[in-house]
Amino acid sequence: MKMKASFLLLSCLFLSLQVIGQRQIRGTVTSPDGETLVGATVLVKGTTTGSVTDFDGTYTLEVPEGAEVLVFSFTGFTTKEIALTASDVIDAVLEESIAELDEVVVTALGVSREKKALGYSVTEVNGDDLNVARETNALNAL
């Protein structure tokens, strides 16, 4: 009995020490037009501590003591760094990225390659070409 009580006391002490050096930050990640970004990543810079925004674009993150910067990122948007302040609410507005993605060619079985990396000829078919041919089978349209 005495052993269980001392184990419980040590466990509570250990957990309280873990919580003392952290604070909880929350906020919302949006685009410039005010649309919330679902699945945006929020990381504490220099650590692996992070979170992902939910369906409302909100996040909650336990930030360790000594952390200074949060890094916000989302596909198609530029990465943004925001310094931590005394406030526990940090909202971020991510700007759209103007960088374009490279061309990708899908080969057999869903394997993706760049057009230059293929050792064989590639035929490019646009949606307009398929509409003009009026074929029900895409292979016949080629």
Side-chain angles (χ1 to χ4, degrees), residues 26-31 34-40 52-60 74 90-92:
R26 59 187 165 79
T28 306
V29 181
T30 59
S31 64
E35 204 171 308
T36 59
L37 299 177
V38 178
V52 178
T53 57
D54 60 11
F55 290 111
D56 298 328
T58 60
Y59 70 93
T60 304
F74 190 68
I90 297 178
D91 295 329

Side-chain angles (χ1 to χ4, degrees), residues 20-97:
I20 288 174
Q22 296 183 353
R23 69 177 181 153
Q24 188 175 36
I25 302 291
R26 59 187 165 79
T28 306
V29 181
T30 59
S31 64
D33 59 0
E35 204 171 308
T36 59
L37 299 177
V38 178
T41 305
V42 183
L43 290 172
V44 177
K45 187 173 184 176
T47 69
T48 57
T49 304
S51 181
V52 178
T53 57
D54 60 11
F55 290 111
D56 298 328
T58 60
Y59 70 93
T60 304
L61 180 63
E62 294 291 330
V63 178
E65 186 177 342
E68 297 176 1
V69 177
L70 291 182
V71 179
F72 298 86
S73 62
F74 190 68
T75 305
F77 291 81
T78 56
T79 301
K80 185 173 190 175
E81 294 184 4
I82 298 178
L84 289 172
T85 60
S87 175
D88 290 339
V89 178
I90 297 178
D91 295 329
V93 178
L94 299 183
E95 299 295 326
E96 291 184 27
S97 175

